[in-house]
Amino acid sequence: MSFGENLQFYRAAEGLTQEQLAERLEVSRQSVSKWESDSSFPEMEKLLVMCDMFRCDLDTLLRGDAQASRQTDTAGYDAHMDKFTRQITAGVVLCICGTAAAALAEGLDSSGRWSGAVFLMFVLAAAMLFITGGLQHHNFCERYPSIEPFYAPETLAEWQQRFPGFIASGVALCIGGMILMTMLDGVGIGSLNPAQCEGITTAAGLLAITCGVGLLTFGGMQNGKFHVESYNRECELKHDIRSKRLGQIQGAIMLAATALFLLYFFFWKTQEWSNQGIGFGAAAIFGIGGIICAIVGTLFHKDGE
């Protein structure tokens, strides 16, 4: 493609008229028209401005194929989002597995000496994944604040057929885990005492829920990956003051919930809560924290309308 053809493609892709492009470049509309017809050529300064405007390199603008470049993943977006999805999904799974492992350890060891250490080991591993994945994603967003859609229609159609399976399977496993814990509550297992039986059944139910939550998290993040426009909006919101403030408030809420859970776990386990087990405490504290975050987010968006 010639420079004029590339310029026409980029201008149309950005939804600009010749007049609007001319205003941004501080030239006349006639100049833009001549460039697109290849009857004249802009100065190097204008070319560099257009490269920044259209998010392309100079070689592609001058003598490359602009349309083909927009249909390829030049930024490595797909590979990055796949890695980010795996990191966050693994972190979520480890958090719930930590609760299950702690419940099992508490059931097998009534002294509770090992349950706290087991839980913290899982949380530490999850925190490392969250921090590493979050920082890498932040750096990627800073480097590539805008990605042009490049997924082929066939790829999108294939994913849309697979996506409901992730959601249906995840929901089924979560409900199945809760049913498992309810049905086996108080049921004896061989020669094990009631505390040990409760720990095993709670751990089994939480493991099923873990698999379900893992499928829901993975499926949801993969679905978001294919909506490139959502990624672009996310990058725009990172520079919005209100969104930063909302993120700080929600982060503080979940940190407070974590601190409260640790306080309950180590120091504040009253007799009534102890009988309900660790899973009940985690669900109550983090569930309430999540609800508060949702309420705060709704109020922020409502005020911003």
Side-chain angles (χ1 to χ4, degrees):
M1 295 177 66
S2 67
F3 165 72
E5 291 172 329
N6 286 333
L7 180 57
Q8 289 183 56
F9 172 81
Y10 282 131
R11 178 176 60 79
E14 294 293 324
L16 299 174
T17 64
Q18 288 185 343
E19 291 82 358
Q20 291 171 330
L21 179 59
E23 289 179 2
R24 292 192 181 187
L25 297 174
E26 298 180 349
V27 297
S28 64
R29 187 197 65 80
Q30 289 77 12
S31 296
V32 175
S33 178
K34 290 180 180 180
W35 296 344
E36 292 186 351
S37 62
D38 289 315
S39 58
S40 68
F41 202 75
E43 300 174 353
M44 180 58 70
E45 179 184 354
K46 302 300 181 184
L47 288 172
L48 295 176
V49 173
M50 282 187 276
C51 287
D52 291 335
M53 185 185 304
F54 300 136
R55 300 175 299 280
C56 66
D57 56 74
L58 187 60
D59 186 63
T60 301
L61 178 62
L62 294 179
R63 56 185 181 181
D65 189 335
Q67 187 171 1
S69 69
R70 285 290 176 97
Q71 295 175 346
T72 58
D73 185 11
T74 56
Y77 169 84
D78 187 77
H80 164 74
M81 293 303 292
D82 283 345
K83 180 181 178 181
F84 183 53
T85 297
R86 290 193 297 269
Q87 289 173 317
I88 299 304
T89 301
V92 171
V93 167
L94 282 172
C95 285
I96 307 178
C97 280
T99 304
L104 181 61
E106 187 176 34
L108 297 178
D109 182 12
S110 58
S111 65
R113 290 178 299 175
W114 296 103
S115 57
V118 169
F119 176 76
L120 290 178
M121 286 175 60
F122 277 87
V123 171
L124 178 61
M128 292 177 63
L129 286 171
F130 287 142
I131 294 171
T132 302
L135 289 176
Q136 290 175 346
H137 185 63
H138 174 77
N139 293 335
F140 186 88
C141 292
E142 290 289 327
R143 186 175 180 183
Y144 302 104
S146 180
I147 299 292
E148 289 296 328
F150 61 90
Y151 288 108
E154 297 80 10
T155 303
L156 296 176
E158 180 184 357
W159 169 252
Q160 288 304 318
Q161 292 180 345
R162 296 174 56 196
F163 178 57
F166 281 94
I167 302 303
S169 301
V171 172
L173 282 169
C174 289
I175 295 176
M178 290 185 287
I179 293 175
L180 181 64
M181 287 190 290
T182 302
M183 292 182 61
L184 296 180
D185 186 25
V187 176
I189 303 176
S191 60
L192 299 178
N193 60 49
Q196 292 174 328
C197 294
E198 181 182 358
I200 293 174
T201 55
T202 300
L206 286 174
L207 285 176
I209 294 174
T210 298
C211 295
V213 172
L215 286 174
L216 291 172
T217 303
F218 182 85
M221 293 189 68
Q222 283 289 285
N223 188 59
K225 177 191 76 171
F226 288 107
H227 293 80
V228 181
E229 63 276 6
S230 299
Y231 167 85
N232 294 333
R233 285 197 298 270
E234 175 192 343
C235 293
E236 291 178 4
L237 289 174
K238 286 182 181 296
H239 301 285
D240 181 71
I241 296 178
R242 288 180 56 84
S243 297
K244 290 182 178 179
R245 189 175 301 166
L246 174 60
Q248 292 170 349
I249 294 175
Q250 290 177 330
I253 292 172
M254 295 313 295
L255 284 174
T258 303
L260 181 60
F261 175 76
L262 292 175
L263 182 65
Y264 151 72
F265 190 82
F266 288 109
F267 305 106
W268 186 45
K269 289 180 67 176
T270 63
Q271 186 62 35
E272 292 145 0
W273 279 53
S274 294
N275 290 336
Q276 297 294 337
I278 296 173
F280 175 80
I285 295 173
F286 289 108
I288 293 173
I291 293 172
I292 295 175
C293 285
I295 294 173
V296 171
T298 301
L299 293 176
F300 259 68
H301 290 306
K302 183 178 180 181
D303 293 339
E305 294 177 353

